[in-house]
Amino acid sequence: MQLNAGCELHFNAKETTPLILMLRPRSGDGQWIIKEEYHITPVVNVTEFTDMYGNLCQRVIAPEGPFSINFSATVQTADDIDVVLDAPYTPVENLPDEVLHYTLPSRYCQSDMQGQLAADITKDSMPGYGQVEAIRSWIHSNIKYQYGTSNASTSAVDTANSRVGVCRDYTHLGISLCRALNIPARMVVGYLYKLDPMDMHAWFEAYVDGRWYTFDATQDKPRGNRITVAYGRDAADVAFTTQFGDMELNTMSVWVNAVDEAEAEKKAPEPATVPDASGSTSQTTTAA
Amino acid sequence: MQLNAGCELHFNAKETTPLILMLRPRSGDGQWIIKEEYHITPVVNVTEFTDMYGNLCQRVIAPEGPFSINFSATVQTADDIDVVLDAPYTPVENLPDEVLHYTLPSRYCQSDMQGQLAADITKDSMPGYGQVEAIRSWIHSNIKYQYGTSNASTSAVDTANSRVGVCRDYTHLGISLCRALNIPARMVVGYLYKLDPMDMHAWFEAYVDGRWYTFDATQDKPRGNRITVAYGRDAADVAFTTQFGDMELNTMSVWVNAVDEAEAEKKAPEPATVPDASGSTSQTTTAA
Amino acid sequence: MQLNAGCELHFNAKETTPLILMLRPRSGDGQWIIKEEYHITPVVNVTEFTDMYGNLCQRVIAPEGPFSINFSATVQTADDIDVVLDAPYTPVENLPDEVLHYTLPSRYCQSDMQGQLAADITKDSMPGYGQVEAIRSWIHSNIKYQYGTSNASTSAVDTANSRVGVCRDYTHLGISLCRALNIPARMVVGYLYKLDPMDMHAWFEAYVDGRWYTFDATQDKPRGNRITVAYGRDAADVAFTTQFGDMELNTMSVWVNAVDEAEAEKKAPEPATVPDASGSTSQTTTAA
Amino acid sequence: MQLNAGCELHFNAKETTPLILMLRPRSGDGQWIIKEEYHITPVVNVTEFTDMYGNLCQRVIAPEGPFSINFSATVQTADDIDVVLDAPYTPVENLPDEVLHYTLPSRYCQSDMQGQLAADITKDSMPGYGQVEAIRSWIHSNIKYQYGTSNASTSAVDTANSRVGVCRDYTHLGISLCRALNIPARMVVGYLYKLDPMDMHAWFEAYVDGRWYTFDATQDKPRGNRITVAYGRDAADVAFTTQFGDMELNTMSVWVNAVDEAEAEKKAPEPATVPDASGSTSQTTTAA
């Protein structure tokens, strides 16, 4: 299905503020960017680079005052995600070199501390896809979805304790539990059609049977029509925006429409949540 | 100036034919892609990768029959290129590691055979920008611009002999003569506003005084408003399309409009030249 | 000074165990590998790859039974490290693209949680080198060096609380506090001449005034004669060995000798500490 | 078999001369570097980087006067190379992204001009390994091996005409003919045990049935016990040394000994050929 997805962010910069944006999806990996627009107001110089995960990152310096970003893309997406319940575990010795680092613990996924929980959840599962699905399903059933319960410092260990969180927390916990079993796992941020409530989204991929599979613990069944914007080890790597200065995000809108529908009614995007400012000198906007 | 540039290609495939396309410019390096559209008809699966020079490459398989590609982009470009006549030569020992390979000879730029010519042309020039400008100016004055005089096998040595060619040949000769002086040089393909006749274009960059400068031997004075689509060592690296099968390019249109102008009159793109088929089993569409 | 440095590890594998080793230093960055030997017993197939930080990693599969590794290298090292007390802070907008990710929090360096501590420690310091040196000095004075007080899960936040640790913990805390100030910082593991007690070592580098500087919070004054083996965001990235199976490290020896001294007396290497097994299914050997 | 291989080069620099060396083999790809030594006299600062093909390159600046390099390595090598006569052709659409550029013409391998010759030689061959072996065998039978018949500018087209050359020319022709059939091919430089006369050597690899296979047109049957030092598109990419200044190579010795044999008799390395100086301002030492 062709989707038109995008976001609009309105900031207010109290001082000149460098930003790093990660908003532009790439073609490949099952998605084709047919059309895209990227407006930054006021007009400033922008440079773009590819980070170590292959994500396109934009660097800008926001002058003092209002600063807004509008990105939209029309993307051909897959209607379904692959579900292969008996896809076997890939032994570490068979993992490609470039996948190995996705077995390591990271800021929000302390897999070195969750071996016991991972073992308990998957004790009756088939090694591989079966284990990951058991993890995904356990999170879906045991973690309560609730806005405002977590922040920029909340990690998988925190979420395993509190049993509450948003998509970002579900994802961190899923990744951490996979890695605790030596299954490579990575965070994906992007858009999901008919996500309710609509927002930027996060899910995870696990590497079994020689390839990456998509898992989303926030959903009750497998769903396609996703647009991947960026991959990373965890949320530290894939913030949509990172501001290095005193800058406030006032409103943020996110939309994902089927292209026919989009053309039928040009409805105004609805405002989505504005994340709390973190306590650090750099602030990030991440998936929820 | 904001430019809207694009191309439309109509092929006829006599058999299923894999293609590699290099049509999507990247933001960065002084240009910002505000908007882009990329249509391939019929709809086929497309994957995208980044080659060793950082260019975005699209891979598709064209089914038998008509096959067309329409790419367009709205791009913020620089109105001028930097001209610094006294920018000094960068000694080899000070070149960044990743620039070194641009001193080596390549398929169409046999710099190892053009040391004498390069020395003759630049004997009165200041080392660095001065040498490159002497080369550019010599080519502009001594090579006759004429379509149909060169083909996919024509090299810098051929052009130095024949004294005739198109933008691709001018560029190869400029690159080869720079490298013969140990000045790194690379090919750029893309769009130039008000190029006459309009077509995909090629020019070169030389590395002096610690950075890349733009040179275009087809023009009589420095001109900005360029859109870079790809970089490479020479035309072997940066064909806009490479077809691995029996496939004919019937028509190709190229346009570059100032955005205001573009909005004022939505004029139909004019057909540009269709390159001759090369004798090889893979054919390429390159700049002229 | 030319140093001969190396290590010898004796494992016992209770099952076939894949390992990733990071033991081979690279030339460049101020060190030149004149000579090296790398023996693995029994003889097994080894492959080598370069990770995302440029480190050379070796992959092997240890058969059941005793397994040992002996690596040694003769390296030309710098006798001093650069100390430039007034090297200024590099604003984020001027950081090279590839350095940016060293400002992000990571597994053991939760910089997002240590902004206040970093601000307190550096409140009287000059931005840049001065801040980093204030951090280094504060750690040296306030953290007690003691073996056995930390483990594979201990993070910078833990160390800031417990005020005790080994070189790895000193390093994590230094990195985390730098990043909290938006100063890029990375972990270095390797060898230090005359380290007492001798062991694999860890320190950190911070990026100020457009380059990396070396800092070592375990030492009371700046010391050169270091051999870098690997760089990373924190210890998760730069374990000397990572074992994915039931495998015990029985003994580990480490030595660093001045080459003249080394030739004069071929003294047997002294056994160093054997790290505790972590609770995870993969175990690592890291610096202490 | 374990081999000890190395080379010793004695230059005389008439001026300060930057050099790029490509002498250090990497582990991986079926070879394991057990031991290596790398001496440069006089002692100068050396930096090392990895080029776009993954080769380790050393940069040095030779002062005026005598300058010598001695490199040696003890390497575990495979006794045989894989020969799979019916390994099928890999269609272009199935080639990995990073292999595609090995189908392109390059400085010394003008595959765009050798389609007819390639078709003639392989007209009775099975697509894939069969074609490459037909090419290898045709070169072996039809090109006369003779020192001093080619130089730094000799290309595959030249060799197809002259029917004479050395290992470098055999290799270029093999690569060019493969690429003319859309079979990816790359140059390998390194050492071959019992090469007669002993020298640095060059051969090629072709990509069929999803992997690289080794081919050597200078030999009458498949032979293993090779040490790969570097890969590239052709000799332009993989010169053992490249000098950017007035510097003379006086003597060059190359040796490859079985380790037992090497230990039994420490015989002096025999001098090998000294390549002619090319006419360019940069000179290279390449395989013969």
Side-chain angles (χ1 to χ4, degrees):
Chain A
M1 181 189 286
Q2 278 188 23
L3 299 176
N4 179 276
C7 61
E8 189 168 312
L9 296 91
H10 293 277
F11 293 93
N12 190 52
K14 288 170 193 156
E15 57 179 340
T16 302
T17 303
L19 289 96
I20 300 170
L21 312 175
M22 216 182 276
L23 292 172
R24 200 196 289 274
R26 288 188 58 171
S27 288
D29 299 310
Q31 68 186 11
W32 174 245
I33 314 303
I34 297 167
K35 195 170 165 173
E36 72 175 41
E37 293 198 39
Y38 203 145
H39 300 278
I40 294 177
T41 312
V43 169
V44 290
N45 193 36
V46 192
T47 59
E48 195 167 47
F49 71 99
T50 305
D51 73 7
M52 64 211 305
Y53 303 99
N55 304 310
L56 293 174
C57 305
Q58 300 84 41
R59 300 180 71 169
V60 294
I61 301 177
E64 205 184 311
F67 186 79
S68 67
I69 299 167
N70 182 302
F71 180 86
S72 67
T74 303
V75 183
Q76 183 69 42
T77 64
D79 292 339
D80 298 296
I81 58 172
D82 291 338
V83 174
V84 182
L85 294 174
D86 58 355
Y89 173 72
T90 300
V92 169
E93 57 268 40
N94 296 341
L95 293 175
D97 297 338
E98 65 274 16
V99 166
L100 281 171
H101 69 100
Y102 288 114
T103 61
L104 301 173
S106 59
R107 170 65 185 92
Y108 301 108
C109 304
Q110 309 102 317
S111 48
D112 53 299
M113 298 172 76
Q114 299 195 299
Q116 191 55 53
L117 179 57
D120 290 349
I121 292 172
T122 61
K123 66 177 186 302
D124 299 323
S125 309
M126 270 184 45
Y129 194 103
Q131 290 171 310
V132 186
E133 174 53 26
I135 288 167
R136 193 206 66 78
S137 168
W138 183 89
I139 295 170
H140 185 71
S141 306
N142 289 278
I143 307 296
K144 185 175 170 188
Y145 192 96
Q146 196 173 324
Y147 270 101
T149 56
S150 58
N151 61 33
S153 288
T154 307
S155 71
V157 166
D158 296 330
T159 305
N161 289 331
S162 69
R163 301 279 165 115
V164 66
V166 294
C167 69
R168 164 198 155 106
D169 306 301
Y170 280 55
T171 299
H172 284 153
L173 185 50
I175 291 169
S176 184
L177 294 170
C178 287
R179 292 185 190 159
L181 302 170
N182 289 329
I183 296 176
R186 63 181 179 184
M187 189 166 189
V188 190
V189 291
Y191 300 91
L192 172 61
Y193 181 54
K194 293 203 168 162
L195 180 66
D196 181 28
M198 180 51 63
D199 206 336
M200 301 303 287
H201 193 45
W203 61 93
F204 70 103
E205 292 183 357
Y207 193 93
V208 292
D209 197 18
R211 50 159 288 199
W212 293 102
Y213 284 90
T214 295
F215 295 87
D216 188 340
T218 67
Q219 302 298 308
D220 54 10
K221 58 176 197 297
R223 291 177 52 188
N225 301 123
R226 293 166 186 273
I227 300 173
T228 294
V229 173
Y231 295 103
R233 284 206 253 177
D234 65 22
D237 292 328
V238 291
F240 293 110
T241 72
T242 306
Q243 303 95 260
F244 296 90
D246 191 355
M247 192 178 191
E248 220 164 71
L249 177 59
N250 293 325
T251 67
M252 174 175 168
S253 311
V254 178
W255 62 94
V256 181
N257 299 316
V259 163
D260 292 340
E261 179 189 341
E263 287 177 348
E265 33 165 353
K266 290 275 185 189
K267 61 180 172 186
E270 301 158 63
T273 59
V274 176
D276 297 334
S278 81
S280 159
T281 52
S282 73
Q283 298 171 37
T284 59
T285 312
T286 55
Chain B
M1 183 188 286
Q2 277 188 24
L3 299 176
N4 179 276
C7 61
E8 188 167 313
L9 297 91
H10 293 277
F11 294 93
N12 191 52
K14 289 170 192 155
E15 57 179 342
T16 302
T17 302
L19 290 97
I20 300 169
L21 311 175
M22 216 181 275
L23 293 172
R24 199 197 289 272
R26 287 186 59 171
S27 288
D29 300 309
Q31 67 185 11
W32 174 245
I33 314 301
I34 296 166
K35 191 169 167 175
E36 74 175 38
E37 292 199 39
Y38 202 147
H39 299 279
I40 294 177
T41 314
V43 169
V44 291
N45 194 34
V46 193
T47 59
E48 195 166 46
F49 71 98
T50 305
D51 73 8
M52 64 211 305
Y53 303 99
N55 304 310
L56 293 174
C57 305
Q58 301 85 41
R59 299 180 71 170
V60 294
I61 301 177
E64 205 184 310
F67 185 80
S68 66
I69 298 166
N70 182 302
F71 179 85
S72 67
T74 302
V75 182
Q76 183 69 41
T77 64
D79 292 339
D80 298 296
I81 57 172
D82 290 339
V83 174
V84 182
L85 294 174
D86 58 356
Y89 173 72
T90 301
V92 170
E93 57 268 39
N94 296 341
L95 294 175
D97 296 337
E98 65 275 16
V99 166
L100 281 172
H101 69 100
Y102 287 114
T103 61
L104 301 174
S106 60
R107 170 64 185 91
Y108 301 109
C109 304
Q110 308 103 317
S111 48
D112 52 299
M113 298 172 75
Q114 300 196 297
Q116 190 56 53
L117 178 58
D120 290 348
I121 292 172
T122 61
K123 65 177 186 302
D124 299 323
S125 309
M126 268 184 47
Y129 194 102
Q131 290 171 310
V132 186
E133 174 53 25
I135 288 168
R136 193 207 65 78
S137 168
W138 184 89
I139 295 171
H140 185 69
S141 305
N142 288 278
I143 307 296
K144 186 177 169 186
Y145 193 94
Q146 196 173 325
Y147 268 102
T149 56
S150 59
N151 61 32
S153 288
T154 306
S155 71
V157 166
D158 296 331
T159 304
N161 289 331
S162 70
R163 302 278 165 114
V164 67
V166 294
C167 69
R168 164 197 155 105
D169 307 300
Y170 280 55
T171 299
H172 284 154
L173 186 50
I175 291 170
S176 184
L177 293 170
C178 287
R179 292 184 191 160
L181 302 170
N182 289 328
I183 297 175
R186 62 181 179 184
M187 189 164 189
V188 190
V189 291
Y191 299 90
L192 172 60
Y193 180 54
K194 293 206 168 161
L195 179 67
D196 182 27
M198 181 47 65
D199 205 338
M200 302 302 287
H201 192 47
W203 60 91
F204 70 102
E205 292 184 357
Y207 193 93
V208 292
D209 197 19
R211 51 159 285 200
W212 292 103
Y213 284 90
T214 296
F215 295 87
D216 188 339
T218 68
Q219 303 299 308
D220 53 12
K221 57 176 198 297
R223 291 178 51 189
N225 300 124
R226 294 166 185 275
I227 300 173
T228 294
V229 173
Y231 295 103
R233 283 207 253 177
D234 64 24
D237 291 329
V238 290
F240 292 110
T241 73
T242 306
Q243 304 95 259
F244 297 89
D246 191 355
M247 193 178 192
E248 221 164 70
L249 177 58
N250 293 325
T251 65
M252 176 175 167
S253 310
V254 179
W255 62 95
V256 181
N257 299 315
V259 162
D260 292 339
E261 181 188 341
E263 286 177 349
E265 33 165 355
K266 289 277 185 187
K267 60 181 173 184
E270 301 158 61
T273 58
V274 176
D276 297 334
S278 82
S280 159
T281 52
S282 73
Q283 299 171 35
T284 58
T285 313
T286 54
Chain C
M1 182 189 286
Q2 277 189 24
L3 298 176
N4 180 276
C7 61
E8 189 167 312
L9 297 90
H10 293 277
F11 293 93
N12 190 52
K14 288 170 193 155
E15 57 179 341
T16 302
T17 302
L19 290 97
I20 301 170
L21 311 175
M22 217 182 275
L23 293 172
R24 200 198 288 274
R26 287 187 58 171
S27 288
D29 300 309
Q31 66 186 13
W32 174 245
I33 314 302
I34 297 166
K35 192 169 167 176
E36 74 175 39
E37 294 198 39
Y38 202 145
H39 299 278
I40 295 176
T41 313
V43 169
V44 291
N45 194 35
V46 193
T47 60
E48 195 167 45
F49 71 99
T50 306
D51 73 8
M52 64 211 303
Y53 304 98
N55 304 311
L56 293 174
C57 304
Q58 301 84 41
R59 298 180 71 170
V60 294
I61 301 176
E64 206 185 309
F67 185 80
S68 66
I69 299 166
N70 181 304
F71 179 84
S72 67
T74 303
V75 183
Q76 183 68 42
T77 65
D79 292 339
D80 298 296
I81 58 173
D82 290 340
V83 174
V84 182
L85 295 175
D86 58 357
Y89 173 71
T90 299
V92 170
E93 57 268 40
N94 296 341
L95 293 175
D97 296 337
E98 66 274 15
V99 166
L100 281 172
H101 69 101
Y102 289 113
T103 61
L104 302 173
S106 60
R107 170 63 186 91
Y108 301 108
C109 304
Q110 309 104 317
S111 49
D112 53 298
M113 299 172 74
Q114 299 195 299
Q116 191 55 54
L117 178 57
D120 290 348
I121 292 172
T122 61
K123 66 177 187 301
D124 299 322
S125 308
M126 269 183 46
Y129 194 102
Q131 290 171 311
V132 186
E133 173 54 24
I135 289 167
R136 193 207 66 78
S137 168
W138 184 89
I139 296 171
H140 185 70
S141 306
N142 289 277
I143 307 297
K144 185 177 170 186
Y145 192 95
Q146 194 172 327
Y147 270 102
T149 56
S150 59
N151 61 32
S153 288
T154 306
S155 71
V157 166
D158 296 331
T159 304
N161 290 330
S162 69
R163 302 279 164 113
V164 67
V166 294
C167 69
R168 163 198 156 106
D169 307 301
Y170 280 55
T171 299
H172 284 154
L173 186 49
I175 291 170
S176 184
L177 293 170
C178 286
R179 291 184 191 160
L181 302 170
N182 290 328
I183 296 174
R186 63 181 179 184
M187 189 165 188
V188 190
V189 291
Y191 300 91
L192 171 61
Y193 180 54
K194 292 203 169 164
L195 180 67
D196 182 28
M198 180 48 64
D199 206 338
M200 302 303 287
H201 193 47
W203 60 93
F204 70 103
E205 292 184 356
Y207 192 93
V208 292
D209 196 19
R211 52 160 285 200
W212 293 103
Y213 284 90
T214 295
F215 295 87
D216 187 340
T218 67
Q219 303 299 309
D220 54 12
K221 59 176 196 295
R223 289 178 52 188
N225 300 123
R226 293 166 186 274
I227 300 173
T228 294
V229 173
Y231 295 103
R233 284 208 252 177
D234 64 22
D237 292 328
V238 290
F240 293 111
T241 73
T242 306
Q243 303 94 260
F244 297 89
D246 192 355
M247 193 178 192
E248 220 166 71
L249 177 58
N250 293 325
T251 65
M252 175 176 167
S253 312
V254 178
W255 62 94
V256 181
N257 299 316
V259 163
D260 292 340
E261 178 189 342
E263 286 177 350
E265 32 165 356
K266 290 276 186 190
K267 61 181 171 184
E270 301 159 61
T273 59
V274 175
D276 296 336
S278 83
S280 159
T281 53
S282 73
Q283 299 172 34
T284 58
T285 313
T286 55
Chain D
M1 181 190 285
Q2 277 188 23
L3 298 177
N4 179 277
C7 61
E8 189 168 313
L9 296 91
H10 293 278
F11 293 93
N12 190 52
K14 288 171 193 155
E15 56 180 341
T16 302
T17 302
L19 289 98
I20 301 170
L21 311 175
M22 217 182 275
L23 293 172
R24 199 197 289 272
R26 287 187 58 171
S27 289
D29 299 308
Q31 67 186 10
W32 175 245
I33 315 302
I34 297 166
K35 193 169 166 176
E36 73 175 40
E37 294 198 37
Y38 203 146
H39 299 279
I40 294 177
T41 314
V43 169
V44 290
N45 194 34
V46 193
T47 60
E48 195 167 45
F49 71 99
T50 305
D51 73 8
M52 64 211 305
Y53 304 99
N55 304 310
L56 293 174
C57 304
Q58 301 84 42
R59 299 180 72 170
V60 293
I61 301 176
E64 206 185 310
F67 185 79
S68 66
I69 299 166
N70 182 303
F71 180 85
S72 67
T74 302
V75 183
Q76 183 68 41
T77 65
D79 292 339
D80 298 295
I81 58 173
D82 290 338
V83 174
V84 182
L85 295 175
D86 59 355
Y89 173 71
T90 300
V92 169
E93 58 268 39
N94 296 341
L95 293 175
D97 296 337
E98 65 274 16
V99 166
L100 281 172
H101 69 98
Y102 288 114
T103 62
L104 302 173
S106 60
R107 169 64 185 91
Y108 301 109
C109 304
Q110 309 104 318
S111 48
D112 53 298
M113 299 172 76
Q114 299 195 300
Q116 191 56 54
L117 178 58
D120 290 348
I121 291 172
T122 61
K123 67 177 186 301
D124 300 322
S125 307
M126 270 184 46
Y129 194 102
Q131 290 171 310
V132 186
E133 173 54 25
I135 288 167
R136 193 206 65 78
S137 168
W138 184 89
I139 295 170
H140 185 70
S141 305
N142 288 276
I143 307 296
K144 186 176 169 189
Y145 192 95
Q146 196 172 325
Y147 269 102
T149 56
S150 59
N151 61 32
S153 288
T154 306
S155 72
V157 167
D158 296 331
T159 305
N161 289 330
S162 69
R163 302 279 164 112
V164 65
V166 294
C167 70
R168 164 197 155 105
D169 307 300
Y170 280 55
T171 298
H172 284 153
L173 186 50
I175 291 169
S176 184
L177 293 170
C178 287
R179 292 184 190 161
L181 302 169
N182 289 328
I183 296 175
R186 63 180 179 185
M187 190 164 187
V188 190
V189 291
Y191 299 90
L192 172 60
Y193 180 53
K194 293 205 169 163
L195 179 67
D196 182 28
M198 181 48 65
D199 205 338
M200 302 303 285
H201 193 46
W203 60 93
F204 70 104
E205 292 184 355
Y207 193 92
V208 291
D209 197 19
R211 52 159 285 199
W212 293 102
Y213 284 90
T214 296
F215 294 88
D216 188 339
T218 67
Q219 302 299 310
D220 54 11
K221 57 177 200 297
R223 291 177 51 187
N225 300 123
R226 294 166 185 275
I227 300 172
T228 294
V229 173
Y231 295 103
R233 285 208 252 177
D234 64 23
D237 291 329
V238 290
F240 292 110
T241 73
T242 305
Q243 304 95 259
F244 296 89
D246 192 355
M247 193 179 192
E248 219 165 72
L249 177 60
N250 293 325
T251 65
M252 175 175 167
S253 312
V254 178
W255 62 94
V256 181
N257 299 316
V259 162
D260 291 341
E261 179 190 339
E263 288 177 349
E265 32 166 356
K266 290 276 188 190
K267 61 181 168 183
E270 299 158 63
T273 58
V274 176
D276 296 335
S278 81
S280 159
T281 52
S282 73
Q283 298 172 35
T284 59
T285 313
T286 55

